[in-house]
Amino acid sequence: PLTSPIAPPPSSSDWTLLFWTSLAVVVPVIITLWCSAQRSKRKTHMKDFFRKSKHGWHYTDLFNKPTYCCVCSQHILQGAFCDCCGVCADEQCLRRADRGLSCKEIMAPSSPDGAMGHRWVRGNVPLASYCAACKQQCGTQPKLCDLRCVWCQTTVHDDCMHSVADADQCDLGEFHSLIIPPHYLYHVNKLRRRHPEEYSKLASSCGSGWTPVLVLANTRSGNNMGEALLGEFRTILNPVQVFDLSELAPSKALQLCTLLPPGSVRVLVCGGDGTVGWVLDAIDGMKLKGQDQFMPRVTILPLGTGNDLSNTLGWGAGYAGEIPVEQVLRNILDAEVVKMDRWKVQVASKGLYFRKPKVLSMNNYFSVGPDALMALNFHTHREKTPSFFSSRIINKAVYFLYGTKDCLVQECKDLDKRIELELDGERVALPSLEGIIVCNIGYWGGGCRLWEGMGDEPCPLDDGLLEVVGVFGSFHCAQIQVKLANPVRLGQAHTVRLVLKSSKMPMQVDGEPWAQGPCTITITHKTQALMLYHSSEQTDDDEDESSRG
């Protein structure tokens, strides 16, 4: 009979190979786990240290350009940098840097003659910076060299410092009209009588046309760009002007407006339309406190997904770092002030007569129907897995999928039978619609012009009128967005009233969706906000002239 061959016992070379293979797999895993644990431990330790420091330290495992320690002058890979003054230090020198190198002073007295001296930090000057004395490029040597003023951003070679007189004044640089000088806050703190007239007198020392800007950034908006933007603005401006809305509510941040000359302040909101609405509600709160004269002018750096208000005001549909923050500040200097209507949306649920109606503020639009359904589905899934929705491209793809699904299901059909519409008290006969959109601004649905797309001139933002249109379904919405169709024009009105007679319908105000049962919705004028409008055509003309020059 046939017998199966017996396998020879493993030789010593086989055991050696198995040993080294196992070692090659296990050792990297152990090293990775150890490094991860050390990094986590180090970050926890650093976070506690940074919280107590006067510097705005940020730890990094790898600097994005050649960086040298301001204490030992050695090249560093792992260490920390201050996003306010630009000081860099490796881990070993971090405590010495924190004790020995001072940061930007947000409040400090000026010299007896009212002048402000430069505040120099040595090394790590920005790329493509030029010496104020000899006009040659700075920071080209592979070592800690050259100096930068943390206020005016002037850079000087080490060898050229002798030509920069000690008495040379710091004029705060290109953005002096946007920066709150430390001596202004020092004198405000010394005032016995806090009065707007006193602030105006102090403002004369800051130069003519002084319009300080406050930066309010939502670090949760967009592609997590908020934190990096905060650091870039702290570098250029006084750190006291820059606020993280995840740590401080806008109502608290805007109290700084009451220490500045009335009507001079501009507020840059870095975030989506929801963040802008949050800030505008806080400004309305200032009115209730009798602080109308301190109301700031609001401008936007769009970080969210929709950004229809930002688009309407000329600031674009989304910011992804395509222009430097210096250009953002230049655009703010050139912007013009416009008024924008804000509206009150009252939702009174049917049968709940003893409960107060839900009251919402509206800047952009109110809608009921397929676009609100897409927003509701998107919002529900983002709440469950927020990390999945960190990319603007993914967000738009998800919206597309929900729109495609609704084209097949048609959850909002027969809306005209379930809802009544009144414009300024007059009943409007509805065609066979699936959705109604009430617009205050020119853009809707992430960059689509609803009313202007029908051949009209852009509707003014302060005319006290709302534009009301209807859509036949999700497919019709998609056609409108690619300019293959127009919405159904239902009219304009000062007051809009909708009555949902039966069943639940998805609704949204400025991208905040919810499912609503039978109710009466009344939209009336609330107030006006002062916004900054950016004309991109003007900027293009300026760029053309400069290129010709």
Side-chain angles (χ1 to χ4, degrees), residues 167-412:
D168 188 25
Q169 297 180 10
C170 176
D171 61 359
L172 298 178
E174 179 185 357
F175 304 109
H176 63 275
S177 59
L178 298 178
I179 297 172
I180 301 176
H183 62 77
Y184 176 87
L185 292 176
Y186 178 81
H187 291 305
V188 165
N189 198 41
K190 294 289 183 182
L191 284 176
R192 291 184 180 179
R193 189 171 70 105
R194 297 285 181 93
H195 196 272
E197 290 177 7
E198 299 292 332
Y199 301 145
S200 298
K201 287 178 188 175
L202 286 177
S204 60
S205 66
C206 301
S208 60
W210 184 51
T211 53
V213 64
L214 306 185
V215 179
L216 278 61
N218 186 352
T219 53
R220 295 174 185 146
S221 288
N223 299 339
N224 301 317
M225 288 189 65
E227 196 165 335
L229 281 169
L230 284 171
E232 292 185 59
F233 282 116
R234 286 191 191 106
T235 300
I236 297 171
L237 307 172
N238 189 327
V240 79
Q241 298 173 245
V242 185
F243 300 92
D244 183 351
L245 293 182
S246 66
E247 297 177 358
L248 191 73
S251 55
K252 299 281 187 185
L254 292 171
Q255 287 307 300
L256 183 56
C257 295
T258 62
L259 300 178
L260 297 164
S264 67
V265 184
R266 302 182 178 203
V267 168
L268 173 63
V269 182
C270 305
D273 286 343
T275 307
V276 178
W278 190 20
V279 172
L280 291 176
D281 284 339
I283 292 172
D284 285 346
M286 292 176 69
K287 292 182 188 176
L288 295 175
K289 294 176 185 175
Q291 298 171 343
D292 301 55
Q293 58 186 327
F294 295 108
M295 278 176 54
R297 283 78 174 136
V298 178
T299 182
I300 307 166
L301 187 65
L303 299 183
T305 304
N307 303 315
D308 291 302
L309 179 55
S310 170
N311 229 345
T312 301
L313 292 168
W315 299 104
Y319 178 78
E322 59 274 9
I323 61 171
V325 293
E326 289 85 359
Q327 186 58 48
V328 172
L329 294 175
R330 290 184 197 108
N331 291 342
I332 293 172
L333 285 169
D334 296 335
E336 60 178 294
V337 180
V338 296
K339 291 181 179 178
M340 183 187 75
D341 293 321
R342 301 192 74 220
W343 301 82
K344 180 170 70 174
V345 181
Q346 283 188 302
V347 184
S349 297
K350 190 177 178 181
L352 301 175
Y353 302 110
F354 300 105
R355 184 181 294 178
K356 284 186 179 180
K358 182 163 69 172
V359 179
L360 303 163
S361 296
M362 184 184 97
N363 304 309
N364 301 0
Y365 44 76
F366 164 87
S367 70
V368 51
D371 68 322
L373 178 63
M374 284 187 280
L376 182 60
N377 287 332
F378 176 83
H379 183 76
T380 303
H381 285 85
R382 185 170 62 176
E383 289 291 307
K384 291 178 181 175
T385 54
S387 58
F388 180 73
F389 296 88
S390 59
S391 165
R392 191 178 286 127
I393 295 172
I394 290 175
N395 293 350
K396 295 200 175 193
V398 172
Y399 260 104
F400 174 75
L401 289 173
Y402 286 134
T404 306
K405 176 189 171 187
D406 189 56
C407 286
L408 303 171
V409 179
Q410 292 184 309
E411 290 185 37
C412 303

Side-chain angles (χ1 to χ4, degrees), residues 32 40 54 77 151 154 163 250 272 279 328 371 435 460 466 494 502 535:
T32 303
S40 177
K54 291 182 179 179
L77 292 177
W151 288 107
T154 296
S163 62
V279 172
V328 172
D371 68 322
L466 292 165
H494 297 90
S502 63
S535 173

Side-chain angles (χ1 to χ4, degrees), residues 136-188:
Q136 298 298 310
Q137 193 169 349
C138 285
T140 54
Q141 300 179 59
K143 64 177 183 178
L144 188 77
C145 63
D146 306 334
L147 299 104
R148 176 183 63 91
C149 174
V150 299
W151 288 107
C152 65
Q153 311 306 320
T154 296
T155 51
V156 182
H157 287 125
D158 290 325
D159 298 336
C160 296
M161 271 303 287
H162 65 276
S163 62
V164 180
D166 292 337
D168 188 25
Q169 297 180 10
C170 176
D171 61 359
L172 298 178
E174 179 185 357
F175 304 109
H176 63 275
S177 59
L178 298 178
I179 297 172
I180 301 176
H183 62 77
Y184 176 87
L185 292 176
Y186 178 81
H187 291 305
V188 165

